[in-house]
Amino acid sequence: MIKLTNKEEEIMHILWKLKKAFVKDIMEKIVEEKPHYNTLSTIVRNLEEKGYVGYNAYGKTHQYFPIVSIEDYRKAFMNTAINHYFNSSYKNLVSYFAEEEKISAEELREILALIEKKK
């Protein structure tokens, strides 16, 4: 799976929420730094070339939809991040968040309860 740019990820998040959208629909959902319409259209076509987006053609207009699910992208992204930044160790990942005080002891207990429940 090819890594997306930040702007491509932003567009994919919009498409995952909308399910199907024309470029103008995507443009309406962009909150900050709206690109020019033609730039957005190019980004969406790049997503199509990368295999993330499909489309239905209606004359010269295209309605786009995600081909890659958010779950599949999340899994690939997380696996890559854990491999590259945490030496393939989930323990290192959790330790990082604990040391940075991004996760509380209560949240860790909840995670442990989820793990125990799966056994």
Side-chain angles (χ1 to χ4, degrees):
M1 193 173 289
I2 300 169
K3 175 75 173 108
L4 300 179
T5 66
N6 290 340
K7 192 51 106 176
E8 288 171 337
E9 276 189 17
E10 178 185 359
I11 302 312
M12 283 305 301
H13 280 283
I14 292 169
L15 277 172
W16 284 320
K17 287 179 185 169
L18 295 177
K19 309 269 191 269
K20 290 182 178 179
F22 296 96
V23 172
K24 66 178 182 62
D25 301 323
I26 297 168
M27 182 69 81
E28 289 174 3
K29 298 295 182 183
I30 296 175
V31 179
E32 295 179 16
E33 297 184 40
K34 289 185 186 269
H36 187 275
Y37 182 92
N38 291 339
T39 302
L40 178 57
S41 183
T42 299
I43 293 169
V44 174
R45 283 195 311 276
N46 288 341
L47 286 167
E48 190 243 323
E49 288 175 14
K50 290 180 177 182
Y52 283 86
V53 170
Y55 66 88
N56 294 315
Y58 300 98
K60 292 183 179 183
T61 304
H62 294 89
Q63 185 181 44
Y64 296 94
F65 55 89
I67 294 174
V68 174
S69 72
I70 191 169
E71 293 82 13
D72 288 342
Y73 186 73
R74 180 185 304 134
K75 185 177 181 180
F77 175 78
M78 290 304 297
N79 286 339
T80 299
I82 291 165
N83 291 340
H84 288 174
Y85 299 107
F86 300 101
N87 297 322
S88 302
S89 168
Y90 289 90
K91 177 184 169 191
N92 289 347
L93 171 72
V94 174
S95 295
Y96 168 79
F97 287 113
E99 289 169 9
E100 294 292 317
E101 298 179 6
K102 303 285 186 194
I103 192 168
S104 69
E106 181 59 33
E107 289 170 319
L108 286 172
R109 282 190 283 279
E110 290 174 17
I111 291 169
L112 286 172
L114 288 171
I115 292 168
E116 292 297 325
K117 185 178 179 181
K118 295 221 177 212
K119 286 185 178 181

